[in-house]
Amino acid sequence: MSKEKQRPAAGGTVCVLMALGVVSNAALMQAPAHADTAGIFDSVPLSTTDGRQIYERICQGCHMADGRGAVGAGRYPALAKDLALSSRQYMALTILAGRRNMPAFGAKHAIGFEGPPMALNETQIAAVINYVRTHFENHYRDSITAAEVAALDRTLEKQ
């Protein structure tokens, strides 16, 4: 007789736990997710013009802290010892408009995912290009200016 009384109580406990699960899941679905650290989809504007800080804040999440890229859920190309980086214009166009699975970071081209897009201005794009081209075992001596990035951005508008 005592076992029969425990079964309804256990069933009631299961129902209460399931109800709590439904309520907590509903609350999680309604609340936006936020990372513990700043990242690519934060709505806080990036105000720095330091190439290293821009790389750390935006780029290293995919290209890794050492610039060697990663393979896993996707393929994130290495920037270390990358011959394609010999063209600063190639880099600027890639950052402005995106390429393959890399999102666009140019102010006119960036698309937001569940929030405002992370957009960089011409000065920031030039700074991160110049940083990457002189780090990660890259030794390119010529640099790009914000004016050159702006001119390249204007060519994208014509397309």
Side-chain angles (χ1 to χ4, degrees):
M1 184 167 158
S2 63
K3 287 184 179 180
E4 289 178 14
K5 289 183 179 178
Q6 289 176 356
R7 284 187 184 161
T13 303
V14 170
C15 287
V16 169
L17 290 174
M18 288 177 60
L20 286 172
V22 169
V23 170
S24 65
N25 283 339
L28 287 173
M29 286 187 200
Q30 292 176 359
H34 294 286
D36 291 336
T37 60
I40 191 171
F41 300 114
D42 289 348
S43 59
V44 177
L46 187 62
S47 60
T48 185
T49 57
D50 179 272
R52 179 189 57 81
Q53 290 177 357
I54 296 167
Y55 182 85
E56 289 173 353
R57 172 86 183 268
I58 297 175
C59 311
Q60 84 176 12
C62 296
H63 298 285
M64 303 295 116
D66 61 3
R68 298 212 182 275
V71 176
R75 183 181 177 280
Y76 305 96
L79 300 175
K81 296 183 184 180
D82 188 351
L83 296 176
L85 304 186
S86 64
S87 171
R88 59 188 197 271
Q89 295 86 355
Y90 170 84
M91 287 190 71
L93 290 169
T94 299
I95 294 169
L96 283 165
R99 186 174 308 276
R100 295 187 186 126
N101 291 327
M102 182 176 148
F105 290 98
K108 299 171 192 163
H109 313 284
I111 298 172
F113 299 97
E114 295 187 29
M118 175 59 76
L120 299 173
N121 63 38
E122 292 89 358
T123 301
Q124 293 169 318
I125 292 171
V128 75
I129 290 170
N130 293 329
Y131 172 77
V132 170
R133 292 180 79 238
T134 57
H135 290 77
F136 312 117
E137 299 181 61
N138 296 311
H139 304 287
Y140 302 106
R141 294 182 183 183
D142 57 328
S143 59
I144 193 166
T145 65
E148 288 174 295
V149 173
L152 287 167
D153 197 17
R154 286 191 295 276
T155 66
L156 290 171
E157 291 175 9
K158 295 176 185 176
Q159 295 179 354

